[in-house]
Amino acid sequence: PTIETIEIAIWGTVLGILLSIPLGLMAARNISPHFAVYGTARFILNALRGVSELVFALIFVSAVGLGPFPGILALALHNAGMLGKFYAEAIEAIDPGPVEAMHATGAGWFQTVAYAIVPQILPHFVTYNLYRFEVSIRSATVLGLVGAGGIGFHLISSIRLFDYQTTAMILLVIIALVVLTDHVGSKLRAKIL
């Protein structure tokens, strides 16, 4: 169950990143192609962020059944909302000089993003993604409480059966998992940045 929890967190984070990149680009006021695109992207990000992972998990458990898949979907949608907002804010805070230089050379929108924006936001991108993975580990344990797989499912089962030794052991495993994830995330950030 612990490995399943880690897998739920990994897939939820990866899918969240894939969804959030285009949303974050469209939600950045300084590079959004049109105000309607900007407004729509902001609304979608607010809606995804506004709904808790737990609520998403309850909806997806009802829709697709018990197991890790609804947990992955719940984390992916919530992570997309959070990361998209972080990306948009990072893009809005970039130095406009390189963007103007790219426009002056006749570069298109994709070239401007690739060569003027991505290098400036890459450290933020790495930091935000690692942070959301750490949050996803903690959230994945809670999502199991509603039937979305992972160690949380076993935690709630042991609590309902009044098996407090097993409950204590599961809580120790969850704490160790969070501490280990935090430690590994710190090491990765230090190496990458």
Side-chain angles (χ1 to χ4, degrees), residues 48-92:
L48 292 175
R49 271 194 343 268
V51 178
S52 170
E53 301 104 325
L54 201 55
V55 174
F56 275 134
L58 286 168
I59 292 168
F60 287 126
V61 163
S62 298
V64 299
L66 298 172
F69 187 59
I72 291 169
L73 294 176
L75 285 177
L77 290 181
H78 190 74
N79 281 338
M82 295 299 290
L83 288 172
K85 172 76 168 165
F86 292 153
Y87 297 164
E89 288 179 357
I91 292 168
E92 288 175 350

Side-chain angles (χ1 to χ4, degrees), residues 151 153-172:
I151 200 166
F153 180 76
H154 295 283
L155 176 64
I156 196 68
S157 298
S158 68
I159 290 171
R160 287 182 181 154
L161 295 172
F162 302 106
D163 184 3
Y164 295 120
Q165 286 181 321
T166 303
T167 301
M169 188 62 201
I170 291 172
L171 288 175
L172 288 174

